Amino acid sequence: MLSVVIIESMGLLCSRQQHFSESDAEKNAQAAEIERRIAHETKADKHIQKILLLGAGESGKSTIFKQIKLLFQTGFDEAELRSYMSVVHANVFQTIKILHDGSKELAQNGADFSNYVISTENKEIGEKLSEIGGRMDCPRLSKELAEDIETLWRDPAIQETYSRGNEFQVPDCAHYFMENLQRLSDLNYVPTKEDVLYARVRTTGVLEIQFSPVRESRKSGEVYRLLDVGGQRNERRKWIHLFEGVTAVIFCAALSEYDQMLFEDENKNRMMETKELFDWVLKQPCFEKTSFMLFLNKFDIFEKKVLNVPLNVCEWFKDYQPLGTGKQEIEHAYEFVKKKFEELYFQSTTPDHVDRVFKIYRTTALDQKLIKKTFKLVDETLRRRNLIDAGLL
Amino acid sequence: MIEELEFSDFPSVFICPISLEPMKDPVTLCTGQTYERSNILKWFSLGHYTCPTTMQELWDDSITPNKTLYHLIYSWFSQKYLHMKKRSEDVQGRVTELLDSLKKVKGQARVQVLKELQQVVAAHDSAKKTVVGEGGIGLILSLLGPFTSHAVGSEAIGILVNLTLDSESKTNLMQPAKISLMVDMLNEGTIETKINCIRLIELLIHAEDFDGGYVKRRERSEIASSLSLLVGLLRLVKDKRYPNGISAGLHLLKMICSYKQVRSLVVSIGAVSQLVELLPCLNSDCLESALSILDVLATLPEGQTALKDCLHTIPNLVRLLMRVSESCTQYALSILWVVCKLSPEECASVAVEAGLAAKLLLVIQSGCNPVLKQRSAELLKLCSLNYTAALFISKCKLTRTLQ
């Protein structure tokens, strides 16, 4: 907006040059006004604390971004909710296609191949849905299509394939959307907040929101600017442009991805990619004084997975020794992963950078209450840090 | 009642000149002086017939109960006693109120309640008893978790540190989320908070109570091996603004090094060189802790390498020999021995240049224990290997020592 004012005023200045002298005074006044506005915005800019959401693809950055929007801005209005409908529907088609194609692949080799053969009556549906899912523009989810998808979803072969979902790029929202097909295909369907949080779109470019944290039910005077980026490899080259003057980095790592492969490289384990990425980010010179908040995300999925899939399938966790079962084991596994990240942090941090803030949080980005509580802690830490830096604490 | 009160500010006329204690049964002699009955009778039974303070001979052996003084003393003490009781009840009442409100309030109000409770508990022993008696410890522990703010957490541990925690409370406090919270506060809090966290963590990893056996031991070593904790301690130990922080940090670090598995971690974060650099500025208590840590770390190959690689190891240690205490000398000698043994050629010359030889001679000639002397002799021999006798003697600056 400021730039528009400048251009307009410059135009005015240029076009009035040879006119009456009273316009000179006007010209000066306008120039002064512009100067004042620039100075004000620069000053205001200094007080804005920049927070960067970084992490590998599908680590939950955008979900956190949406949560912050819901918590501290006006949330999603009806128009915005509606705008997510096509995304939700596309997710449904994409998911069923991945499962269908996956089952065909599994049905070709392996000793138990017969488990993955789709029943004859569903084969045609499968092919049709697979074709739809492959399109750039997915159609609206009609009742008929929803029924077809539900039928295919319930096919034992598809369920078997789903249980091996980590071998394919099955999105985390799969189960949620598949169980809600009736509602999603309603004629008057408008996505709920929860649907929007689950909806999956690969972020490209940078998204930004500005907000004031709420402290003790009051809006504080401070302003945060939160930036969300794409996590896939080809997006990361855009990151470096955002690295200056960052107050804090929220690095998202999905706990549950230790047995999954990258979308952009099916031979690379996702957790190993995250490990390398975190290491790289930590070593960036511009982050010398930046506070690091590590969000160990997707704990809800991790909880269910860790008792069935041992952590050792990931090379980084190969020295893991399970203790027992049940809740205790989940906690033990979580503490193990947390310690690994802590180790990595201190290995990648030179002695003179050891003073920067580093905290680890266990999150489930889909849980709004949890994210609210977590962000409260992040806010407190950043506020204390500011006070310490200013010598007031 | 008089025993219950800890006052030393009672009026001087209440005091018996013989025992210097407040009188319970004051009696007056013919000289007009008043004493505690049992004391003056004892005086008489020893054969004296004088007034102890005026030294006058008594012309009248009657002793008159001083009723006035008796009543004065009695009412003075009663008043004080009642006042104390009331204050104690007030305190207890206040504690109960605070604990009740703690169950209900949140946010900033919760922080305020905890702050007040901390002040009351620190000032009054009766408050501590009340907190324990009314399940306050369990209540405060329940406030600590993964979502506890720093403000609440720091006040809570400020209270816990003043109370005696039973085994159940300690087990509760050892939950990973609570330990993480304490480690975070140790890294980010004020110096008081840091020291409180250190004291609580020390309480938990202290290996002396064996209840729980193996399980507890594993958990304790887990706590001790927290990198964030170790880095935070090192940072604290280097902060010259707070000497009590340095000594608290070193004390915990020493305790942690008693866990074998953690020692290489401690070396890996650069503790060796940082401690060596710190030695010249430490007071004697801290020196003992620091040296004992270095001594333990010197048992590891990586520790030995780190010691050797640090340029100031030898000079700083040599300077400490025979300077502070026998145990410091013992530690310093032990570490020097390890370093010199590791690479005799390199270290011997550095050591001798730093004046090691003269110091060793001092040790040998001193009244130290024989083991120490033996060690010194061996080290002296090791260092002198590359020198001719004449050169070595000159290096020893022996003539100066003799003078």
Side-chain angles (χ1 to χ4, degrees):
Chain A
M1 206 193 81
L2 183 63
S3 45
V4 170
V5 171
I6 294 172
I7 293 168
E8 276 181 12
S9 310
M10 276 170 71
L12 284 166
L13 287 169
C14 294
S15 59
R16 283 189 190 176
Q17 253 176 13
Q18 55 275 71
H19 296 307
F20 321 103
S21 60
E22 42 216 64
S23 75
D24 281 344
E26 210 185 308
K27 182 171 55 173
N28 287 335
Q30 274 176 351
E33 170 69 13
I34 292 165
E35 291 286 320
R36 198 187 63 76
R37 294 275 279 276
I38 293 175
H40 178 79
E41 296 233 359
T42 317
K43 192 163 159 248
D45 223 55
K46 284 211 180 77
H47 292 295
I48 296 180
Q49 304 195 64
K50 204 164 138 190
I51 305 179
L52 223 49
L53 277 165
L54 298 178
E58 271 185 275
S59 51
K61 304 182 289 300
S62 300
T63 313
I64 303 275
F65 190 77
K66 289 174 198 165
Q67 291 280 25
I68 300 291
K69 231 176 141 171
L70 285 168
L71 285 170
F72 299 113
Q73 292 200 327
T74 47
F76 299 116
D77 59 16
E78 174 130 356
E80 216 169 341
L81 288 172
R82 277 187 194 282
S83 74
Y84 270 92
M85 186 171 73
S86 56
V87 178
V88 172
H89 288 176
N91 283 169
V92 169
F93 288 117
Q94 285 153 4
T95 301
I96 198 69
K97 175 185 168 62
I98 290 170
L99 286 170
H100 169 265
D101 296 351
S103 76
K104 277 176 83 173
E105 202 184 299
L106 290 174
Q108 281 171 2
N109 10 301
D112 52 354
F113 76 97
S114 56
N115 293 347
Y116 305 101
V117 179
I118 301 173
S119 38
T120 343
E121 59 270 25
N122 291 335
K123 276 205 163 77
E124 214 184 297
I125 300 172
E127 293 299 330
K128 178 177 75 173
L129 290 172
S130 177
E131 189 274 315
I132 296 175
R135 296 188 207 158
M136 284 296 282
D137 270 310
C138 290
R140 198 182 181 294
L141 187 67
S142 62
K143 277 288 175 193
E144 298 82 47
L145 282 170
E147 264 174 47
D148 285 341
I149 294 173
E150 176 119 32
T151 315
L152 192 59
W153 168 246
R154 304 257 172 245
D155 189 307
I158 297 296
Q159 283 297 310
E160 280 292 324
T161 312
Y162 178 66
S163 69
R164 285 172 67 167
N166 63 305
E167 294 174 46
F168 307 100
Q169 299 295 328
V170 177
D172 291 320
C173 56
H175 193 268
Y176 176 78
F177 285 143
M178 289 296 137
E179 294 298 315
N180 280 281
L181 285 168
Q182 298 266 5
R183 183 171 58 83
L184 302 182
S185 57
D186 243 356
L187 215 53
N188 303 316
Y189 169 62
V190 177
T192 62
K193 255 179 358 193
E194 207 180 352
D195 294 342
V196 169
L197 287 172
Y198 270 97
R200 162 93 197 129
V201 173
R202 271 196 294 287
T203 313
T204 175
V206 184
L207 298 169
E208 189 180 303
I209 49 168
Q210 206 155 292
F211 64 97
S212 275
V214 176
R215 291 180 189 146
E216 294 287 315
S217 315
R218 271 196 328 260
K219 266 204 165 176
S220 77
E222 271 162 43
V223 180
Y224 287 131
R225 186 180 287 157
L226 183 66
L227 288 94
D228 182 23
V229 298
Q232 263 85 24
R233 283 179 182 172
N234 60 323
E235 291 289 326
R236 291 177 209 161
R237 69 178 95 102
K238 303 175 195 172
W239 288 11
I240 196 106
H241 305 292
L242 310 166
F243 283 1
E244 284 304 315
V246 174
T247 308
V249 165
I250 296 180
F251 193 91
C252 294
L255 282 166
S256 56
E257 63 182 13
Y258 62 92
D259 69 339
Q260 290 171 280
M261 300 298 158
L262 283 184
F263 169 77
E264 55 271 48
D265 178 357
E266 299 235 341
N267 292 316
K268 188 69 190 267
N269 177 283
R270 285 195 184 203
M271 188 55 88
M272 297 307 291
E273 177 87 354
T274 296
K275 171 178 187 259
E276 285 160 24
L277 190 58
F278 190 45
D279 180 61
W280 179 81
V281 169
L282 287 170
K283 291 182 167 143
Q284 293 303 304
C286 37
F287 290 151
E288 231 175 66
K289 301 214 162 68
T290 308
S291 301
F292 271 85
M293 314 294 175
L294 176 64
F295 279 19
L296 292 179
N297 199 24
K298 304 205 184 179
F299 182 72
D300 54 338
I301 307 178
F302 179 78
E303 259 186 315
K304 300 192 192 97
K305 193 181 268 200
V306 82
L307 293 176
N308 302 318
V309 183
L311 280 180
N312 330 69
V313 303
C314 174
E315 198 191 309
W316 192 15
F317 304 149
K318 63 177 186 259
D319 54 336
Y320 178 65
Q321 308 257 9
L323 254 196
T325 48
K327 202 142 186 262
Q328 241 192 2
E329 176 58 25
I330 298 174
E331 289 298 324
H332 182 246
Y334 170 72
E335 290 297 321
F336 178 84
V337 173
K338 184 170 164 210
K339 209 157 199 159
K340 283 285 177 188
F341 273 97
E342 213 182 35
E343 238 172 60
L344 179 60
Y345 174 78
F346 286 110
Q347 270 165 23
S348 315
T349 306
T350 58
D352 42 327
H353 294 181
V354 141
D355 269 347
R356 69 185 166 191
V357 172
F358 173 62
K359 292 180 93 158
I360 305 182
Y361 301 91
R362 171 159 103 185
T363 55
T364 297
L366 292 163
D367 185 337
Q368 182 158 66
K369 280 215 182 94
L370 216 74
I371 296 300
K372 186 173 182 186
K373 284 201 260 196
T374 306
F375 191 78
K376 242 177 102 179
L377 295 177
V378 170
D379 178 41
E380 190 194 25
T381 304
L382 291 177
R383 191 173 47 89
R384 283 183 60 86
R385 191 62 194 193
N386 284 342
L387 291 173
I388 292 173
D389 284 342
L392 294 168
L393 208 65
Chain B
M1 179 190 18
I2 291 181
E3 286 79 39
E4 263 191 55
L5 297 167
E6 317 137 11
F7 301 110
S8 50
D9 61 340
F10 27 72
S12 49
V13 294
F14 290 6
I15 301 189
C16 168
I18 298 175
S19 62
L20 298 178
E21 298 275 305
M23 294 184 268
K24 292 176 212 158
D25 186 3
V27 296
T28 313
L29 300 181
C30 59
T31 54
Q33 298 298 318
T34 310
Y35 304 91
E36 173 68 30
R37 183 192 292 269
S38 52
N39 293 339
I40 193 66
L41 287 179
K42 187 149 187 224
W43 173 255
F44 289 160
S45 76
L46 290 171
H48 305 286
Y49 284 110
T50 53
C51 171
T53 48
T54 60
M55 304 297 252
Q56 285 172 289
E57 244 192 70
L58 298 171
W59 53 90
D60 182 344
D61 58 3
S62 63
I63 53 175
T64 321
N66 192 331
K67 293 216 168 94
T68 315
L69 194 58
Y70 174 79
H71 282 126
L72 265 175
I73 294 177
Y74 187 78
S75 64
W76 189 90
F77 275 101
S78 300
Q79 211 182 53
K80 287 280 173 181
Y81 186 71
L82 283 172
H83 178 72
M84 187 197 84
K85 271 234 113 151
K86 175 153 196 311
R87 228 176 62 183
S88 165
E89 273 158 14
D90 273 349
V91 162
Q92 285 166 13
R94 188 71 193 125
V95 168
T96 311
E97 270 174 21
L98 288 170
L99 287 177
D100 271 336
S101 67
L102 202 55
K103 293 176 193 157
K104 300 173 205 147
V105 295
K106 288 195 177 166
Q108 199 54 30
R110 184 180 279 184
V111 178
Q112 291 305 106
V113 171
L114 285 170
K115 262 197 167 80
E116 198 188 326
L117 190 57
Q118 197 263 329
Q119 283 164 357
V120 172
V121 162
H124 304 272
D125 279 335
S126 53
K128 293 178 188 159
K129 289 201 194 99
T130 315
V131 170
V132 176
E134 299 201 8
I137 295 184
L139 177 59
I140 296 172
L141 286 173
S142 72
L143 298 176
L144 301 174
F147 296 110
T148 308
S149 66
H150 182 99
V152 166
S154 54
E155 295 300 330
I157 53 128
I159 299 171
L160 291 175
V161 108
N162 282 313
L163 306 170
T164 328
L165 302 176
D166 63 5
S167 169
E168 202 185 310
S169 310
K170 284 190 217 172
T171 309
N172 183 308
L173 204 50
M174 280 171 81
Q175 288 167 3
K178 296 193 166 88
I179 298 289
S180 283
L181 181 64
M182 282 194 284
V183 173
D184 278 344
M185 291 195 288
L186 195 151
N187 275 294
E188 295 167 24
T190 61
I191 185 66
E192 289 81 30
T193 304
K194 287 187 213 266
I195 294 181
N196 286 341
C197 291
I198 288 180
R199 282 166 63 187
L200 278 179
I201 294 175
E202 268 183 9
L203 192 66
L204 298 176
I205 68 170
H206 197 58
E208 262 172 34
D209 46 340
F210 289 117
D211 46 313
Y214 173 70
V215 174
K216 268 281 187 70
R217 199 155 54 98
R218 191 184 51 78
E219 287 171 336
R220 279 195 218 113
S221 99
E222 279 288 315
I223 297 171
S225 56
S226 157
L227 273 170
S228 300
L229 173 61
L230 296 174
V231 170
L233 284 175
L234 262 190
R235 197 183 307 134
L236 181 61
V237 148
K238 285 192 301 186
D239 192 342
K240 300 203 167 84
R241 293 175 295 173
Y242 306 113
N244 40 345
I246 299 179
S247 69
L250 284 172
H251 196 260
L252 179 54
L253 204 52
K254 184 174 163 191
M255 206 185 269
I256 287 176
C257 286
S258 66
Y259 287 88
K260 286 211 177 110
Q261 321 86 300
V262 189
R263 289 173 193 169
S264 61
L265 263 180
V266 177
V267 175
S268 74
I269 57 170
V272 170
S273 60
Q274 294 193 31
L275 286 172
V276 166
E277 298 296 330
L278 206 56
L279 291 174
C281 1
L282 295 176
N283 68 43
S284 48
D285 293 319
C286 295
L287 266 174
E288 265 197 54
S289 302
L291 286 172
S292 91
I293 295 169
L294 285 172
D295 190 40
V296 159
L297 296 179
T299 59
L300 299 172
E302 51 268 42
Q304 289 165 8
T305 317
L307 281 165
K308 183 178 75 80
D309 290 342
C310 176
L311 292 170
H312 293 138
T313 304
I314 297 181
N316 286 1
L317 288 173
V318 169
R319 204 174 302 132
L320 289 175
L321 289 173
M322 296 299 285
R323 260 283 196 80
V324 185
S325 69
E326 188 167 324
S327 56
C328 283
T329 301
Q330 191 153 358
Y331 286 130
L333 204 55
S334 163
I335 300 166
L336 281 166
W337 172 252
V338 163
V339 174
C340 290
K341 205 93 199 290
L342 189 65
S343 56
E345 278 85 49
E346 262 184 75
C347 299
S349 50
V350 177
V352 172
E353 290 303 318
L356 176 62
K359 286 284 183 99
L360 289 177
L361 287 170
L362 257 179
V363 175
I364 294 171
Q365 293 161 9
S366 74
C368 292
N369 71 67
V371 177
L372 213 53
K373 293 193 197 182
Q374 174 75 359
R375 255 293 162 81
S376 309
E378 288 168 3
L379 191 55
L380 195 60
K381 197 162 165 205
L382 188 71
C383 292
S384 65
L385 281 175
N386 285 346
Y387 292 85
T388 64
L391 196 57
F392 192 69
I393 289 172
S394 73
K395 292 283 181 196
C396 288
K397 302 178 189 141
L398 251 179
T399 44
R400 272 208 229 136
T401 329
L402 282 175
Q403 277 169 10

